[in-house]
């Protein structure tokens, strides 16, 4: 069995949760349907999960369920906050973006009086990567174009932003987290950044501000 998968039995043993909890969380959309992977095994059909996604998700649920209802957790894990609209000043007040990030964003996309969720997410990702020194300004402009042009096509499905370089030439792509991609030896994978992780971080940032 692939090292990237964990069986349901191993998952329950490792995390200490019950079968009932697992499937209740599934019904509440805390765990996506497509993470339940049915495969043949020597005992018949067995359920597996992507190890690097299910374990952090269960850890978050266990750590946060005392302070949030299951419905509130489901909202946090959902891929968007469609009704959110924030101005540039509000984004800066909430420490979501800096002036540098906002200026760079507006070099690739037109300035708006109010920014919607997907645009805010693109700015948050840009801010995060610039702060970490993971991308150059030129790559940041590319990032904005890729996010604004293609993120909506994933329609809430898990995806990740990937930056590769070959002989110093950068290529940015959005790809499904379920996809496996293989590059030749001359390609350097600079980073892979899961959009689900960024979505959760951004929602918490917005939520913390609104509660303060």
């Amino acid at each position: 069995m692939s090292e990237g998968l964990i069986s349901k039995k191993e998952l329950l043993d490792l995390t200490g949760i019950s079968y009932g909890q697992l499937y209740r969380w599934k019904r509440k959309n805390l765990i996506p349907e497509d993470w339940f992977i049915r495969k043949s095994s020597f005992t018949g059909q067995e359920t597996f999960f992507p190890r690097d996604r299910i374990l952090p998700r269960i850890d978050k649920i266990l750590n946060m369920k005392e302070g949030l209802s299951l419905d509130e957790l489901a909202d946090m894990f959902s891929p968007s906050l469609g009704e959110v609209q924030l101005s540039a000043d509000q984004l800066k007040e909430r420490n979501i973006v800096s002036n540098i990030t906002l200026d760079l964003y507006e070099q690739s996309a037109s300035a708006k009086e109010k920014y919607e969720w997907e645009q805010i997410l693109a700015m948050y990702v840009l801010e995060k990567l610039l702060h970490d020194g993971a991308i150059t300004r030129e790559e940041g402009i590319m990032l904005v174009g890729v996010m604004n042009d293609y993120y909506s096509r994933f329609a809430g499905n898990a995806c990740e932003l990937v930056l590769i370089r070959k002989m110093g030439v950068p290529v940015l792509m959005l790809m499904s987290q379920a996809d496996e991609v293989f590059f030749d030896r001359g390609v350097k994978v600079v980073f892979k950044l899961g959009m689900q992780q960024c979505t959760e971080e951004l929602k918490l940032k917005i939520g913390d501000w609104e509660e303060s």
Side-chain angles (χ1 to χ4, degrees), residues 118-168:
E118 290 182 1
Q119 297 160 340
I120 296 169
L121 179 62
M123 281 190 265
Y124 176 74
V125 172
L126 177 60
E127 174 80 14
K128 182 183 180 76
L129 292 170
L130 286 172
H131 183 269
D132 291 345
I135 57 173
T136 65
R137 291 176 62 89
E138 291 74 19
E139 290 163 351
I141 293 172
M142 290 170 55
L143 180 154
V144 173
V146 169
M147 289 287 293
N148 285 347
D149 289 345
Y150 301 112
Y151 180 72
S152 61
R153 298 192 185 188
F154 288 87
N157 294 317
C159 63
E160 57 187 3
L161 183 71
V162 181
L163 173 63
I164 63 172
R165 293 194 187 109
K166 183 169 184 178
M167 299 181 69

Side-chain angles (χ1 to χ4, degrees), residues 4-141:
L5 298 179
I6 183 172
S7 71
K8 180 169 63 181
K9 182 180 185 306
E10 184 183 357
L11 178 68
L12 299 182
D13 289 344
L14 190 61
T15 60
I17 65 172
S18 68
Y19 178 95
Q21 281 178 302
L22 178 65
Y23 281 88
R24 185 181 182 207
W25 294 344
K26 178 187 178 185
R27 289 194 302 273
K28 286 288 189 177
N29 296 318
L30 301 184
I31 301 174
E33 175 77 33
D34 61 4
W35 290 12
F36 289 72
I37 303 166
R38 298 284 291 172
K39 286 184 174 289
S40 296
S41 69
F42 65 91
T43 58
Q45 286 286 313
E46 194 171 350
T47 301
F48 294 85
F49 302 87
R51 179 184 291 270
D52 62 348
R53 293 157 73 185
I54 190 70
L55 291 176
R57 175 62 58 89
I58 287 179
D59 184 61
K60 284 182 180 177
I61 294 170
L62 291 173
N63 285 325
M64 300 179 73
K65 68 184 180 70
E66 298 303 323
L68 296 173
S69 70
L70 293 185
D71 288 337
E72 288 171 328
L73 282 171
D75 182 64
M76 190 191 78
F77 291 138
S78 69
S80 71
L81 282 174
E83 71 280 5
V84 169
Q85 290 188 328
L86 296 173
S87 68
D89 286 341
Q90 289 172 320
L91 290 169
K92 289 185 285 186
E93 286 171 4
R94 288 160 168 77
N95 294 318
I96 293 171
V97 299
S98 61
N99 281 319
I100 291 173
T101 296
L102 192 60
D103 290 344
L104 195 58
Y105 180 89
E106 291 176 354
Q107 289 181 38
S108 180
S110 58
K112 294 180 179 292
E113 185 175 337
K114 293 279 188 179
Y115 293 96
E116 297 181 351
W117 168 255
E118 290 182 1
Q119 297 160 340
I120 296 169
L121 179 62
M123 281 190 265
Y124 176 74
V125 172
L126 177 60
E127 174 80 14
K128 182 183 180 76
L129 292 170
L130 286 172
H131 183 269
D132 291 345
I135 57 173
T136 65
R137 291 176 62 89
E138 291 74 19
E139 290 163 351
I141 293 172

